[in-house]
DNA sequence: TTGGTTGCAAACATTTTGCACCGGA
DNA sequence: TCCGGTGCAAAATGTTTGCAACCAA
């Protein structure tokens, strides 16, 4: 039904996958091929480290600006593959479109605080949450793939003029 | 940018809103009107208590089966209003479409454990998480609207034949 | 009576897919 | 060489919107 996938089998961190050799090996292992496009996309995530939630549209645009002509459909297909390989994680941050980020291990999960007014996104981690996640899934016999906690609110800036 | 909204001003539980009188008052208070369609939709959420995550499409279909002819656009518009009034909460459970459920107070938030294979959804509550939510938002000066934690995994049933 | 509400169809936005050609292993 | 990947355009989904008729307050 979708593309969530387990951790890297060998525990390799997603960040390392920008290394072409490692990336190639990981792709080939599953019958996929290393292509310029896939490499460029993954590299983009590293470059945009500061603002690392990217939508397919943004990726397409950024690469275009960098002179890389890559079609939208290829972006989508590449994202699916990278998610399936466990290199990227899909986020449900905003309305109507999906965002992606380099996937971090389950025990390093971080969460998002979204301002519904201006769209600002802040991240936070919390050990208690990580533990709850592990415990709940275990209690119910689920095999944990990943979890995402998204809190919606109004940021300090938007509170004054808020409420409609 | 979207329709998240604060708690019922008077603390009335969303469940009570199926009462036509209360619903009417709540709607009117904000300049909205009580219509058969809105009533039917809200009632549907009560009926489907056991499986109370409904998408616009499902709502439209269920009502159709019950002989209520209501257009899709009306369903969408009604959902927006009900969310804005704080009676329903929007969920980001699955791919590409939104789900809705009767909204529970922030201090009674519950979360979702989704099987990515069969789509089964289980709920759980956890005080620690509620507290983390409150704390994080406070630390950053955010006004909390609501939060949703969605954990993806494989349910016991789907684990054997899983992995592709 | 007034102005919010509805249904319908057309418009939108995002994502997926069919197909011929291209290119990695 | 073989088969997966790409680009393009068309199609599929999910959601929104313009407009005339309608109805709650």
């Amino acid at each position: 039904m979708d593309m969530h996938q387990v951790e890297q089998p060998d525990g390799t961190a997603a960040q390392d996958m920008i290394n072409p050799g490692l990336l190639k090996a990981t792709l080939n292992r599953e019958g996929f091929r290393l292509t310029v496009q896939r490499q460029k996309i993954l590299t983009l995530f590293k470059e945009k480290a500061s603002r690392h939630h990217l939508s397919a549209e943004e990726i397409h645009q950024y690469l275009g600006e960098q002179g890389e002509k890559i079609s939208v459909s290829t972006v989508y297909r590449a994202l699916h593959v990278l998610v399936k390989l466990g290199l990227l994680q899909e986020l449900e941050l905003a309305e109507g479109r999906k965002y992606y980020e380099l996937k971090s291990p389950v025990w390093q999960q971080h969460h998002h605080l979204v301002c519904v007014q201006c769209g600002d996104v802040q991240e936070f981690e919390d050990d208690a949450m990580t533990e709850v996640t592990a415990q709940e899934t275990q209690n119910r016999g689920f095999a944990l793939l990943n979890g995402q906690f998204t809190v919606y609110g109004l940021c300090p800036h938007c509170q004054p003029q808020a409420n409609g």
Side-chain angles (χ1 to χ4, degrees), chain A:
Chain A
M1 81 176 270
D2 70 11
M3 309 239 75
H4 294 274
Q5 196 65 17
V6 285
E7 281 301 285
Q8 277 304 100
D10 55 8
T12 314
Q15 337 300 66
D16 299 333
M17 282 305 148
I18 281 108
N19 171 321
L22 252 182
L23 178 55
K24 182 176 186 311
T26 307
L27 283 162
N28 292 347
R29 185 192 301 144
E30 303 284 335
F32 296 111
R33 294 176 182 173
L34 177 64
T35 64
V36 209
Q37 292 86 338
R38 290 174 180 172
Q39 221 168 144
K40 291 280 163 55
I41 291 179
L42 213 39
T43 303
L44 186 62
F45 275 96
K46 192 180 186 183
E47 292 174 7
K48 299 285 172 190
S50 58
R51 188 249 185 277
H52 46 172
H53 309 109
L54 299 173
S55 67
E57 192 47 58
E58 289 172 335
I59 293 172
H60 181 245
Q61 187 187 312
Y62 280 134
L63 291 180
E65 289 171 1
Q66 293 183 191
E68 316 288 350
K69 40 179 181 301
I70 171 175
S71 77
V72 198
S73 44
T74 297
V75 172
Y76 279 106
R77 286 191 273 229
L79 288 173
H80 291 175
V81 169
L82 296 176
V83 167
K84 180 174 256 167
L85 287 177
L87 303 183
L88 292 182
Q89 168 160 19
E90 210 177 81
L91 301 179
E92 221 80 53
L93 288 186
E95 321 292 313
R97 107 188 56 187
K98 294 170 192 161
Y99 283 84
Y100 297 83
E101 69 177 15
L102 288 176
K103 176 163 184 172
S104 47
V106 179
W107 38 272
Q108 262 183 32
Q109 58 178 241
H110 63 274
H111 310 285
H112 301 92
L113 186 50
V114 183
C115 176
V116 303
Q117 190 90 73
C118 66
D120 177 42
V121 178
Q122 296 196 20
E123 303 189 345
F124 67 91
E125 302 185 26
D126 190 286
D127 293 341
M129 297 244 319
T130 306
E131 205 161 300
V132 171
T133 307
Q135 201 136 65
E136 280 305 329
T137 50
Q138 198 176 316
N139 286 348
R140 293 149 198 276
F142 269 63
L144 173 61
L145 294 180
N146 66 62
Q148 64 174 99
F149 187 38
T150 309
V151 179
Y152 299 95
L154 285 170
C155 73
H157 273 148
C158 297
Q159 281 176 54
Q161 75 275 28
N163 213 286

